Every structure is written in structure tokens, then in C-alpha cells.
Amino acid sequence: GAGVSQTPSNKVTEKGKYVELRCDPISGHTALYWYRQSLGQGPEFLIYFQGTGAADDSGLPNDRFFAVRPEGSVSTLKIQRTERGDSAMYLCASSQTGTGATEAFFGQGTRLTVV
Amino acid sequence: GNSVTQMEGPVTLSEEAFLTINCTYTATGYPSLFWYVQYPGEGLQLLLKATKADDKGSNKGFEATYRKETTSFHLEKGSVQVSDSAVYFCALSAQGGSEKLVFGKGTKLTVNP
């Protein structure tokens, strides 16, 4: 596709349930990032993939959060035993090389609401 | 750790007014600096960037200069338009780091005709 695609655009789930959020990056981009944005705040880093491997997962808040990118393209962010505090916009971005000065292209996000 | 502090909004201006949104950062070494913009209903997109001290990034009439001595990267535009209404985020990517972006909280700009 032309840009970074995230699905679903909205997800409402009950507390305690498991959710998966999908990111389809720009074709050929080796670097992929997940961020979380709460209302009125800037995006906060969760995890960074270079190819298939997680190069930096220091932003994952706890072990309920996990992400994969098995073939170096599509990535899935997985949240177990969701809590109301997990409600936020989850953003995915990709870039060509992952070097610090390279432009990151963002998807429109998945808005997760835990009720 | 690395952090970005930007001017709190919201900011409301009339068309053709001068815009400044302040941004300061804390980081070791020489980070790359960015301004991202989020228009209503759209995803974040890069507005401009600067990768070394004294560099000036510019795009769509917006400018920002990387000032190492004041650790600042203020966004300016000489004459705003209604179409500039958006949320603006200052961000940095640390030198030698994992390429992740550290964002400020964002500043909402509304430009009235």
C-alpha cells in the first residue's frame, strides 16, 4: 500500500480480554516502531523492530504487552489481560533504514478502549 | 534520560499572524530534531527536521533552527493560514540510540480566518 496501514481503526474490549493490533508498514521499510499515545500527550515509544528482530523493547510497560514481526513486514502488538489503563491510541510507524535521521511514516492508529 | 518540552497550548491565532512554538530538549550528544504535525483526522507526518547544530529545517513556510547552546528547536512561521490548524509535536532521536523518537506533549494550533 501507499502508506502504513493499521487495523482495526477502533477496538473496544472488556477488561481482562486479549487483543491484537495489526500494522502493515510501507513495503521495503526494514524499521518498524510501535508507540502509544494517551489523550493530550505525545506518543510514547513501545518497541522497535529492525527486520524480524526486536532491537529495542524498552518501552513495553509490562509483560502483558508483546509484539512480533515474524517475516519482517507485518507486525502484531498483543496485549493480554487488558486493563482500563491500556486505553489509548496505538500508533505504528515505519522507516527505510531505522537510522536516527530517517523520516518515520506513521499510520492513523488503532484507538483501543478497555471497558 | 532524553526528553522534550514544548510550549503548552492551545494556541489560537488569526490568519497571517506570526507563529512561534517553543521546544527545548534534554539529551546527551547530538540528537536529531524533528517537528511532526497531525492534521485533523490524519496520521502524524514529518514537517521538518535538523540533524546537526545550526542546521535549519524548513517546509511549507515553517522553519526551525537547531540551537545546541540553548538546546532548542523552536518552530516559526511568518504568516499562518487556516489550513495550518493542527497539532504540532517536537521530537528527538538520540545519537547512537535505537532510532526511537521521544516526543513532546504537542501544541494544538487553531488559525481563524
Side-chain angles (χ1 to χ4, degrees):
Chain A
V4 177
S5 175
Q6 291 188 246
T7 54
S9 54
N10 278 285
K11 176 72 177 177
V12 180
T13 190
E14 292 180 347
K15 180 175 176 297
K17 298 287 190 185
Y18 168 83
V19 296
E20 290 189 350
L21 311 179
R22 176 189 169 105
C23 173
D24 202 339
I26 292 172
S27 178
H29 281 192
T30 60
L32 185 146
Y33 312 80
W34 283 98
Y35 293 86
R36 178 167 72 172
Q37 185 176 19
S38 301
L39 205 59
Q41 303 294 314
E44 293 180 324
F45 170 77
L46 295 175
I47 187 169
Y48 157 56
F49 287 90
Q50 184 58 254
T52 60
D56 182 351
D57 65 358
S58 61
L60 295 177
N62 52 59
D63 62 5
R64 295 187 297 105
F65 288 75
F66 190 70
V68 296
R69 195 186 185 197
E71 297 178 357
S73 178
V74 171
S75 175
T76 306
L77 178 66
K78 307 180 181 196
I79 310 174
Q80 297 178 321
R81 304 183 304 280
T82 51
E83 300 177 356
R84 293 198 178 89
D86 299 335
S87 297
M89 178 73 85
Y90 289 81
L91 300 174
C92 178
S94 69
S95 70
Q96 244 178 340
T97 63
T99 61
T102 305
E103 178 178 359
F105 293 83
F106 282 80
Q108 293 203 336
T110 294
R111 181 167 296 284
L112 176 66
T113 303
V114 181
V115 297
Chain B
N2 300 326
S3 66
V4 173
T5 302
Q6 68 179 97
M7 176 175 149
E8 295 211 6
V11 174
T12 303
L13 296 173
S14 297
E15 207 164 23
E16 299 183 5
F18 182 86
L19 169 71
T20 299
I21 301 178
N22 289 338
C23 171
T24 57
Y25 68 89
T26 301
T28 54
Y30 293 86
S32 296
L33 301 175
F34 305 82
W35 278 99
Y36 276 80
V37 59
Q38 188 167 33
Y39 298 103
E42 299 185 17
L44 276 169
Q45 55 188 274
L46 180 66
L47 179 60
L48 54 83
K49 69 180 182 184
T51 58
K52 58 184 188 294
D54 299 325
D55 265 4
K56 179 185 285 188
S58 61
N59 186 25
K60 299 182 181 181
F62 290 88
E63 292 184 339
T65 301
Y66 189 143
R67 300 286 188 201
K68 180 70 174 172
E69 63 275 14
T70 53
T71 61
S72 66
F73 193 55
H74 304 321
L75 183 68
E76 296 182 336
K77 185 173 185 180
S79 176
V80 294
Q81 305 300 310
V82 172
S83 57
D84 294 326
S85 298
V87 182
Y88 292 82
F89 293 91
C90 185
L92 69 81
S93 177
Q95 180 186 26
S98 71
E99 331 310 341
K100 65 191 178 191
L101 291 166
V102 177
F103 286 89
K105 290 186 177 183
T107 303
K108 183 176 182 180
L109 171 66
T110 301
V111 180
N112 295 319

